[in-house]
Amino acid sequence: RNLEIIVNLFLDPLRVPNSPYFGIMSDEEIKDIFPVIDELFKLHKELVQDLQDCLQENSKQLVGGVFLRYAPFFKMYAMYCTG
């Protein structure tokens, strides 16, 4: 939910042409402040959905498989946190 708030309340207004905040920052400045945020937000939504699907199937083994499948992408969290 927090990533959704960051994207919807802060990032999108900086990128949407009809927003009063559009043009306040360059694309490069936005990338510096919000590194990999779009990719991370997409990853986060997919991960949550896959975990919810596992809960519906009531299988703990499936949860482990989801984390193994997404493990290589968790590096993006580190990039975001250190960005």
Side-chain angles (χ1 to χ4, degrees):
R1 177 88 172 110
N2 291 336
L3 285 174
E4 184 177 12
I5 291 170
I6 291 170
V7 170
N8 292 336
L9 294 180
F10 298 102
L11 184 57
D12 282 349
L14 293 171
R15 297 190 296 194
V16 176
N18 62 349
S19 167
Y21 303 104
F22 180 74
I24 289 177
M25 300 174 73
S26 70
D27 288 341
E28 190 63 35
E29 290 170 322
I30 292 171
K31 287 178 188 175
D32 287 344
I33 295 172
F34 301 103
V36 300
I37 193 78
D38 292 315
E39 296 87 353
L40 191 59
F41 185 46
K42 181 179 185 256
L43 169 72
H44 184 76
K45 288 193 303 187
E46 291 173 1
L47 173 63
V48 168
Q49 183 60 55
D50 285 351
L51 289 172
Q52 287 174 342
D53 292 345
C54 287
L55 290 176
Q56 289 178 355
E57 295 179 27
N58 202 22
S59 173
K60 292 179 183 177
Q61 277 188 327
L62 291 176
V63 171
V66 169
F67 279 102
L68 288 174
R69 189 168 57 248
Y70 283 93
F73 301 102
F74 290 152
K75 294 175 186 171
M76 284 193 291
Y77 282 97
M79 290 172 55
Y80 174 74
C81 292
T82 59

